[in-house]
Amino acid sequence: VESLIHVQPKGYDFEIFGTLDLIDQDENIRDLKTRGRSQGKDFAHGSQQLTLYYLLAFGKGYRPQQAMVDMLVFTKYNVRATQIATTRCRDDIMALMNRLQVAAETIRLGRFLPAPEGSWYCSAKYCEYYFICPHITRAAKQFSIPGGEE
């Protein structure tokens, strides 16, 4: 029951668009993950994605008390389900907002910071600056087609 959400934070130079997997009847954020191996509690507690989900939920008028990661772990012989609950506070959201503001200002100035290695968003498909980014090697760019799939 995905919900597309758009937030225009007051006093910031950017807009945020995102999709929440589910907000349950108690207004808790639910995020489904599928993995080949189980993740520890630090996975949920340190997730910037879940912090962004809190921000999106607040922008839509919800007041979530917690976020739950519903994890399905697929192994060779079975499927195991686990749930990790975590919370966020105002300070967590403000730290994320400050990071987003720095990123928006950096991009506006034409500077590009390298994404963590292996990031899904560092690709021609997801980043409109991919072909002019100085952190992408020429070898990587030659295997990407502008506007196409990788």
Side-chain angles (χ1 to χ4, degrees):
V1 192
E2 292 180 337
S3 175
L4 182 64
I5 298 174
H6 168 238
V7 176
Q8 174 70 57
K10 290 180 184 172
Y12 290 91
D13 298 336
F14 55 85
E15 299 174 59
I16 301 171
F17 295 87
T19 304
L20 290 172
D21 286 356
L22 174 70
I23 303 267
D24 67 19
Q25 67 272 14
D26 297 323
E27 294 192 359
N28 293 313
I29 297 165
R30 304 294 293 264
D31 188 34
L32 177 64
K33 299 285 185 201
T34 56
R35 298 268 192 243
R37 60 183 175 89
S38 186
Q39 301 289 322
K41 290 184 194 256
D42 289 343
F43 170 79
H45 297 314
S47 170
Q48 287 185 23
Q49 181 182 18
L50 289 178
T51 306
L52 185 59
Y53 286 170
Y54 264 84
L55 176 65
L56 291 171
F58 272 94
K60 190 70 171 177
Y62 294 107
R63 298 297 175 253
Q65 296 301 308
Q66 63 181 349
M68 269 104 56
V69 177
D70 300 308
M71 194 169 305
L72 295 176
V73 179
F74 293 90
T75 64
K76 187 174 181 178
Y77 300 106
N78 63 8
V79 177
R80 195 171 66 248
T82 60
Q83 188 177 76
I84 303 169
T86 187
T87 60
R88 295 293 187 275
C89 67
R90 184 179 188 283
D91 290 344
D92 296 320
I93 292 172
M94 292 310 299
L96 176 64
M97 292 298 294
N98 291 336
R99 286 184 74 141
L100 293 172
Q101 182 64 39
V102 167
E105 180 64 16
T106 301
I107 290 170
R108 188 184 69 72
L109 293 172
R111 297 183 185 130
F112 299 88
L113 300 174
E117 190 172 324
S119 297
W120 60 268
Y121 49 84
C122 187
S123 67
K125 182 176 180 182
Y126 294 104
C127 180
E128 63 187 277
Y129 304 104
Y130 183 83
F131 288 98
I132 61 171
C133 180
H135 301 290
I136 308 300
T137 66
R138 258 188 320 170
K141 288 179 186 175
Q142 77 184 23
F143 293 107
S144 298
I145 300 168
E149 294 293 321
E150 293 181 24

